[in-house]
Amino acid sequence: MRTTAELEERLARPSPGLVDDLGRLDGDIMILGAGGKLGPSLVRLALNASQGDRRVIAVSRFSEPGLAQALQDEGATVVAADVADERALRDLPDAPNVVFLVGAKFGTQGREHATWFTNTYLPGRVADRFAGSRIAALSTGNVYPLVPVTSGGSTEDAPVGPVGDYAMSCLGRERVLTHFAETTGTPLSLIRLNYAVELRYGVLVDLAQKVLAQEPIDLATGQVNVVWQGYANEVTLRSLLLAGVPPYVLNVTGPELISVRQAARALGAALGKEPVFTGEEAPTALLSNASRCHRLYGYPELTPAELIEHTARWVADGGPLLGKPTKFERRDGRF
């Protein structure tokens, strides 16, 4: 993957399992938040896996110039709308299958009210509008507390313990969506994702940029989970078939525990730079156990070693980046 076109093609390449699962799914798929960092590749993946058998409806404000037209040219039914506007939400076409990607993370500090509106109140409005549809909603592993790095990570049955307004508002999203699922009989799946990576953003890009710039890498959060975004997108779409009442909860990440120190050193070796570290690894981190997901769908196609290799080459070549750091090293929930 050396160009944006090659990266986009890889992200939107469906597995036979996804094609089979979407073949069992009746009706159109609407993707809310189609203009975000995951949205465009998920729309393209749905289009490729559906093979023209349904409409894939992409809904977003589409602030990125040219994106709406590009998705339309590729076969999506594009609706430019702000779902936070009550009239715009009401006027959306009906759809039996809805993927909800809308969320706010960064800029929480000082604008907590806006974060809670987007992450907690708005999902309830969407669930009310699409009552009875299957809904796959993106959540986050941030709903879990920091756990010992020797624990294997939080499973779906582990107690939640969100830290900070972002994480608390995301748990609020889950609770509000669950309320509508229970009261209206709306089938729901909740995808607790951390951390999706591709070559333009993610934990590995954050580390590669710091290594290249010789900026200190804080080791307090010394271990992380990462997962190839193409796999995360596929699982999100396939989870529409798992949606139920009560909601089906699924952790989505890779099977490996990634050492920040070792990943930075591997990136440094590929980039010809010696990483600069500060601090020491704490005994706890935000970690998820996704063994349920792997039993259902297998392992991600790209390993951490392959992701590190691709990321280093991309950053060294000056490939385009999204400029959205994950801030994975924050331990206080302030994003």
Side-chain angles (χ1 to χ4, degrees), residues 100-106 108 112 115-121 123 137-144 160 162-178 190-193 335:
F100 184 67
L101 304 178
V102 180
K105 180 175 184 180
F106 303 116
T108 299
E112 292 85 356
T115 300
W116 282 86
F117 172 87
T118 300
N119 290 346
T120 305
Y121 175 79
L138 192 66
S139 185
T140 173
N142 286 82
V143 299
Y144 297 119
V160 294
V163 177
D165 274 273
Y166 166 69
M168 288 189 289
S169 69
C170 290
L171 181 59
R173 171 171 50 208
E174 292 192 10
R175 299 301 197 222
V176 169
L177 287 171
T178 298
L190 295 169
I191 303 300
R192 292 176 176 169
L193 173 64
F335 299 107

Side-chain angles (χ1 to χ4, degrees), residues 31-33 36-39 42 98-104 118-120 123 135-141 143 166 169-174 177 188-194 196 201 227 229 231-237 239-240 248 250-252:
I31 298 166
L32 302 177
K37 63 181 186 291
L38 275 69
L42 195 146
V98 176
V99 179
F100 184 67
L101 304 178
V102 180
T118 300
N119 290 346
T120 305
I135 299 177
L138 192 66
S139 185
T140 173
V143 299
Y166 166 69
S169 69
C170 290
L171 181 59
R173 171 171 50 208
E174 292 192 10
L177 287 171
L188 175 67
S189 62
L190 295 169
I191 303 300
R192 292 176 176 169
L193 173 64
N194 65 306
Y201 79 92
V227 65
Q229 184 187 300
Y231 178 85
N233 286 349
E234 173 161 326
V235 170
T236 300
L237 286 169
S239 77
L240 284 164
Y248 194 96
L250 192 64
N251 289 345
V252 179

Side-chain angles (χ1 to χ4, degrees), residues 271-288:
L271 293 167
K273 297 279 188 178
E274 187 67 29
V276 179
F277 297 115
T278 183
E280 295 292 333
E281 290 88 344
T284 60
L286 180 70
L287 300 169
S288 295

